């Protein structure tokens, strides 16, 4: 009996999903705003460009990160909020893209000249396509394939991969701006 209890204890997660949402949600939100401000002012004063990293961090860490954790909690209401937050992430990322595009135009710089930009475009296209398609297919109220386990599995893992890539793209942008390895590690 003791062996069974020890075995069951080793299978228990460190935090249940509700606790993860309660703890990680605010941590991701604070990190997003602090990192966005720090990066936005790392080259001097706040400027139009500063809204680009801030918007992208809010989109992909603050909103998408919290949306993923919220979905893991489960339930109809959390699933709806997951969708709303992912849509907000796409809109916020669209604003971040507009900022960098207009900023490059203001300074006469060429567009799409780095891995950061090309991978960022790939992420943006995926987010913009995923928003209406997943609403159509997987909306918990009206989705035409909301019970299709294969579709749900593809959405879950495909979206996680794209969001992980978005985090990597954020790091590439920071690495481009900041050559100091210590500051890169802190980010």
């Amino acid at each position: 009996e003791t062996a069974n209890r020890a075995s069951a204890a080793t299978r228990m997660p460190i935090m249940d999903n509700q606790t993860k949402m309660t703890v990680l949600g605010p941590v991701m939100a604070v990190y997003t705003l602090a990192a966005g401000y720090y990066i936005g002012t790392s080259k001097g004063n706040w400027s139009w460009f500063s809204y680009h990293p801030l918007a992208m961090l809010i989109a992909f860490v603050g909103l998408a990160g919290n949306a993923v954790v919220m979905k893991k909690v489960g339930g109809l209401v959390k699933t709806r909020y997951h969708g709303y937050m992912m849509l907000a992430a796409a809109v916020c990322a669209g604003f971040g893209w507009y900022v960098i595009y207009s900023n490059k135009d203001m300074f006469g710089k060429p567009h799409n000249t780095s891995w950061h930009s090309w991978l960022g475009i790939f992420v943006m296209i995926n987010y913009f396509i995923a928003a209406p398609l997943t609403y159509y297919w997987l909306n918990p109220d009206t989705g035409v394939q909301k019970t299709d386990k294969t579709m749900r599995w593809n959405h879950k893992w495909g979206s996680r991969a794209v969001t992980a890539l978005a985090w990597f793209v954020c790091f590439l942008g920071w690495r481009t701006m900041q050559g100091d390895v210590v500051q890169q590690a802190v980010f």
Side-chain angles (χ1 to χ4, degrees):
E1 185 178 327
T2 305
N4 286 340
R5 266 190 272 161
S7 175
T10 59
R11 289 191 305 255
M12 291 182 65
I14 294 170
M15 280 191 264
D16 64 15
N17 290 330
Q18 181 67 42
T19 305
K20 285 179 188 174
M21 186 180 76
T22 304
V23 172
L24 293 178
V27 168
M28 283 190 282
V30 168
Y31 171 80
T32 295
L33 296 176
Y37 177 78
Y38 177 76
I39 293 167
T41 58
S42 66
K43 297 291 185 188
N45 293 331
W46 193 264
S47 66
W48 176 241
F49 168 81
S50 302
Y51 289 100
H52 170 68
L54 177 64
M56 294 309 194
L57 284 168
I58 289 171
F60 298 122
V61 179
L63 290 168
N66 274 303
V68 169
V69 174
M70 183 173 290
K71 177 65 179 127
K72 288 181 72 66
V73 173
L76 182 62
V77 172
K78 298 285 191 277
T79 299
R80 285 183 185 140
Y81 280 118
H82 165 80
Y84 301 149
M85 291 173 75
M86 292 304 280
L87 177 61
V91 170
C92 194
F95 172 71
W97 176 83
Y98 168 75
V99 168
I100 194 60
Y101 195 90
S102 63
N103 192 69
K104 285 188 177 280
D105 279 349
M106 281 192 290
F107 291 100
K109 292 185 177 183
H111 297 279
N112 309 323
T113 60
S114 66
W115 281 108
H116 171 72
S117 62
W118 284 109
L119 292 173
I121 289 168
F122 177 80
V123 167
M124 295 285 296
I125 289 169
N126 275 273
Y127 264 69
F128 287 142
I129 290 173
L133 292 181
T134 53
Y135 181 84
Y136 175 73
W137 285 326
L138 298 176
N139 182 301
D141 300 314
T142 60
V144 297
Q145 293 183 316
K146 63 185 177 185
T147 59
D148 183 331
K149 290 184 190 235
T150 301
M151 178 66 72
R152 293 163 60 97
W153 188 91
N154 288 337
H155 169 70
K156 175 181 177 178
W157 289 103
S159 296
R160 283 182 179 181
V162 171
T163 298
L165 180 60
W167 288 22
F168 178 69
V169 171
C170 289
F171 171 75
L172 286 177
W174 173 239
R175 201 186 95 193
T176 301
M177 287 179 60
Q178 183 54 256
D180 182 15
V181 177
V182 174
Q183 288 191 8
Q184 287 178 15
V186 169
F187 174 68

